[in-house]
């Protein structure tokens, strides 16, 4: 029997045994069938190494059962196919079919899709991008695709890939929302789109996008440090404006506490997102903080000067140094007045 295994050994055990022996260097490497059975005069150059033919990876995937398969990126890379571009094209379709039937599930294979698109463009094959572009502009084509039974979410996912490839982050964002990939939509909005909309005072558009994502906020990690910041800013700002209009002097402490909590989230968001945030995102957060600090200063108070607690809140805001210096001077003035006041 093959490598001393019993005749009734299940196929998955045979494959795993071979893979183990392969790792130990005790069996020959699996030679791709197009080399093993192909004509000698047309045989391409091939050498054993870290990459094998996709057929072998499919065998490993079959034998893997329910365990996590760590070779997906290698399996669907160009190294696992022949030199023929059509062969690699077929691998890309195999990836989609296997994922569709539940053979595996992975959220980080979009880089392979981008790699495939890049290779098509290098070969002058802009079929995918042209198709996506024409579909997005032609209502008749879109309706025809829907009637064929192809889920519209699939086309939006393709369009998101198309827009992202060409650097159109907002176009990618819109299609990611449409196809239900809200986690990635959240990331793109926070890191690449929100700051430009906010700083250009396109608040209606910011509210539209954030509202579309809010219904699914429990699916998104770090919601409170991303899109949630923009929603809560508008809510807090509107609340403070309404209370100031009512001349409610009893709301100052409550507003100060709300601002303190919000400023803490802004600072934490800057730490969590780090270098992923666009430099203008920091300017965006500073603008939020300055607007809320200005409203806090305008909030009616029972004293002539702003209470020390409010000034300390403002000092914790992520604002430019010149603004913080101004807040610090006000705090020193209030502190001096307290020291000089009668006991």
């Amino acid at each position: 029997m093959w490598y001393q295994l019993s005749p009734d050994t299940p196929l998955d055990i045979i494959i795993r045994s071979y893979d183990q022996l392969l790792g130990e260097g005790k069996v020959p490497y699996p030679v791709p069938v197009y080399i093993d059975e192909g004509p000698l005069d047309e045989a391409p150059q091939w050498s054993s190494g870290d990459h094998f033919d996709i057929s072998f990876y499919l065998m490993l995937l079959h034998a893997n059962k329910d365990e996590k398969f760590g070779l997906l990126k290698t399996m669907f890379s160009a190294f696992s196919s022949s030199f023929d571009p059509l062969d690699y094209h077929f691998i890309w379709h195999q990836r989609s079919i296997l994922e569709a039937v539940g053979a595996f599930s992975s959220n980080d294979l979009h880089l392979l899709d981008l790699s495939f698109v890049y290779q098509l463009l290098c070969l002058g094959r802009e079929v995918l991008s042209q198709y996506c572009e024409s579909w997005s502009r032609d209502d008749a084509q879109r309706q025809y695709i829907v009637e064929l039974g192809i889920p519209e979410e699939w086309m939006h996912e393709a369009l998101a890939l198309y827009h992202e490839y060409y650097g159109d982050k907002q176009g990618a964002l819109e299609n990611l929302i449409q196809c239900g990939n809200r986690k990635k939509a959240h990331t793109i909005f926070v890191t690449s789109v929100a700051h430009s909309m906010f700083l250009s005072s396109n608040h209606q558009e910011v509210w539209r996008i954030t509202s579309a994502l809010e219904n699914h906020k429990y699916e998104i990690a770090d919601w409170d440090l991303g899109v949630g910041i923009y929603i809560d800013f508008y809510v807090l700002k509107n609340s403070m404006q309404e209370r100031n209009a009512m001349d409610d002097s009893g709301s100052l402490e409550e507003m100060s506490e709300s601002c303190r909590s919000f400023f803490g989230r802004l600072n934490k968001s800057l730490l969590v997102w780090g270098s992923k945030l666009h430099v203008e995102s920091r300017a965006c957060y500073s603008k939020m903080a300055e607007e809320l600090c200005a409203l806090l200063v305008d909030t009616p108070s029972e004293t002539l000067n702003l209470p020390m607690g409010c000034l300390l809140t403002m000092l914790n805001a992520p604002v430019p140094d010149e603004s913080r210096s101004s807040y610090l001077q006000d705090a020193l003035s209030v502190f001096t007045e307290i020291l000089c006041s009668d006991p």
Side-chain angles (χ1 to χ4, degrees):
M1 185 55 190
W2 189 84
Y3 286 92
Q4 301 180 351
L5 295 176
S6 62
D8 59 346
T9 302
L11 180 59
D12 59 311
I13 295 180
I14 293 176
I15 295 173
R16 287 202 295 267
S17 299
Y18 174 78
D19 185 45
Q20 180 180 351
L21 293 172
L22 183 64
E24 297 172 357
K26 297 180 179 179
V27 294
Y29 277 88
V31 179
V33 66
Y34 55 83
I35 293 178
D36 190 35
E37 300 180 0
L40 295 178
D41 57 343
E42 297 180 3
Q45 296 294 325
W46 182 85
S47 60
S48 59
D50 296 331
H51 296 274
F52 301 109
D53 180 59
I54 189 173
S55 300
F56 181 64
Y57 288 118
L58 287 172
M59 293 169 61
L60 293 178
L61 180 62
H62 169 75
N64 192 62
K65 297 300 182 182
D66 296 329
E67 299 178 11
K68 184 177 181 181
F69 191 61
L71 297 173
L72 288 176
K73 291 183 179 179
T74 305
M75 173 180 177
F76 296 116
S77 70
F79 296 103
S80 300
S81 70
S82 73
F83 59 91
D84 189 342
L86 289 178
D87 191 7
Y88 183 45
H89 189 164
F90 183 64
I91 283 183
W92 191 66
H93 286 293
Q94 282 184 313
R95 176 254 192 207
S96 301
I97 294 171
L98 288 170
E99 189 169 18
V101 299
F104 65 86
S105 177
S106 178
N107 296 323
D108 60 353
L109 291 182
H110 61 278
L111 292 178
L112 289 176
D113 294 336
L114 288 173
S115 174
F116 176 69
V117 172
Y118 172 75
Q119 293 194 33
L120 285 179
L121 293 175
C122 288
L123 292 171
R125 304 173 187 270
E126 301 188 11
V127 178
L128 177 62
S129 60
Q130 291 175 358
Y131 182 67
C132 289
E133 187 175 15
S134 63
W135 175 82
S136 65
R137 297 178 179 179
D138 193 327
D139 292 337
Q141 284 193 25
R142 182 179 304 186
Q143 183 60 33
Y144 176 69
I145 291 173
V146 172
E147 291 175 355
L148 286 176
I150 299 175
E152 195 167 344
E153 290 80 3
W154 291 10
M155 295 306 299
H156 281 296
E157 186 175 6
L159 280 169
L161 183 65
Y162 165 75
H163 287 296
E164 187 174 6
Y165 179 81
Y166 281 104
D168 181 6
K169 297 295 186 179
Q170 187 168 349
L173 171 64
E174 296 288 352
N175 283 283
L176 286 169
I177 294 175
Q178 291 294 326
C179 74
N181 192 345
R182 301 175 189 91
K183 294 180 181 179
K184 190 172 182 180
H186 176 261
T187 299
I188 288 182
F189 177 79
V190 174
T191 60
S192 305
V193 176
H195 60 270
S196 60
M197 288 185 177
F198 188 89
L199 294 176
S200 61
S201 299
N202 194 358
H203 301 299
Q204 185 174 358
E205 189 67 7
V206 174
W207 184 258
R208 181 186 68 82
I209 294 174
T210 54
S211 298
L213 292 171
E214 187 180 20
N215 294 330
H216 306 275
K217 63 181 181 180
Y218 297 109
E219 305 172 12
I220 302 172
D222 294 326
W223 167 266
D224 289 341
L225 304 178
V227 172
I229 280 180
Y230 290 86
I231 293 179
D232 291 346
F233 166 75
Y234 291 124
V235 172
L236 179 56
K237 178 181 177 180
N238 184 62
S239 175
M240 294 179 70
Q241 288 174 333
E242 289 181 352
R243 294 203 177 192
N244 287 354
M246 295 170 58
D247 198 22
D248 184 4
S249 60
S251 64
L252 180 58
E253 184 176 349
E254 181 182 347
M255 290 294 96
S256 176
E257 181 59 34
S258 297
C259 288
R260 183 182 298 112
S261 175
F262 185 76
F263 294 158
R265 285 171 56 195
L266 289 180
N267 290 321
K268 187 175 181 180
S269 177
L270 291 171
L271 291 174
V272 169
W273 291 100
S275 60
K276 294 180 180 179
L277 282 179
H278 193 280
V279 64
E280 290 187 356
S281 295
R282 299 179 181 275
C284 178
Y285 283 8
S286 294
K287 183 174 176 60
M288 288 183 183
E290 287 182 318
E291 288 187 19
L292 294 180
C293 285
L295 287 171
L296 199 58
V297 170
D298 292 339
T299 301
S301 173
E302 296 177 353
T303 61
L304 293 177
N305 295 318
L306 202 62
M308 180 62 73
C310 294
L311 291 170
L312 292 177
T313 294
M314 294 162 61
L315 287 173
N316 289 326
V319 295
D321 290 340
E322 56 269 21
S323 296
R324 183 173 285 103
S325 297
S326 175
Y327 301 156
L328 182 58
Q329 290 178 1
D330 292 340
L332 289 174
S333 298
V334 172
F335 183 68
T336 301
E337 182 178 341
I338 293 174
L339 291 178
C340 296
S341 62
D342 294 333

